[in-house]
């Protein structure tokens, strides 16, 4: 269906590729921030063992969980504000 008859405009393959690349960049950036933040909080600078100890494992698990929880809440808040702006509220 064309744009003139109320349908969605067709997205070119270049636009689809650009969107996919932007999404990959966004996910890669989020992963890098997650690793950097949780590593700084949970891992000691002096590596004494090759494996994580129990305290480090628990800390990393909680850190990752909180990181994603906050990310979801921020996304929901931003979507809510965007929807309010669209409706003029």
């Amino acid at each position: 269906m064309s744009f003139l008859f109320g349908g969605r405009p067709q997205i070119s393959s270049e636009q689809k590729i650009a969107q996919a690349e932007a999404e990959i960049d966004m996910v890669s950036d989020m992963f890098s921030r997650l690793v950097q933040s949780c590593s700084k909080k949970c891992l000691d600078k002096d590596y004494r063992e090759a494996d994580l100890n129990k305290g480090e494992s628990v800390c990393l698990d909680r850190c990752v969980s909180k990181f994603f929880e906050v990310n979801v809440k921020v996304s929901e808040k931003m979507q809510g504000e965007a929807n309010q702006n669209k409706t003029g509220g």
Side-chain angles (χ1 to χ4, degrees):
M1 193 178 262
S2 74
F3 181 68
L4 296 174
F5 298 108
R8 297 177 77 181
Q10 295 295 319
I11 298 174
S12 71
S13 54
E14 287 110 18
Q15 289 172 320
K16 288 179 184 178
I17 291 170
Q19 287 176 343
E21 288 175 344
E23 188 171 345
I24 289 171
D25 289 343
M26 182 184 69
V27 170
S28 296
D29 178 58
M30 183 176 69
F31 180 75
S32 294
R33 288 186 289 121
L34 167 74
V35 169
Q36 186 177 28
S37 175
C38 292
S39 294
K40 189 187 305 183
K41 290 177 184 175
C42 299
L43 302 179
D44 194 11
K45 302 284 186 241
D46 302 330
Y47 290 111
R48 296 185 190 109
E49 302 171 15
D51 297 330
L52 295 173
N53 64 37
K54 184 171 176 105
E56 291 170 331
S57 296
V58 169
C59 180
L60 286 169
D61 186 48
R62 289 180 179 165
C63 183
V64 169
S65 177
K66 287 179 182 180
F67 187 92
F68 282 115
E69 186 178 321
V70 168
N71 198 1
V72 167
K73 287 182 180 181
V74 168
S75 295
E76 289 172 353
K77 177 94 171 146
M78 290 175 69
Q79 285 179 346
E81 289 177 5
N83 290 338
Q84 277 184 339
N85 290 340
K86 281 184 182 178
T87 59

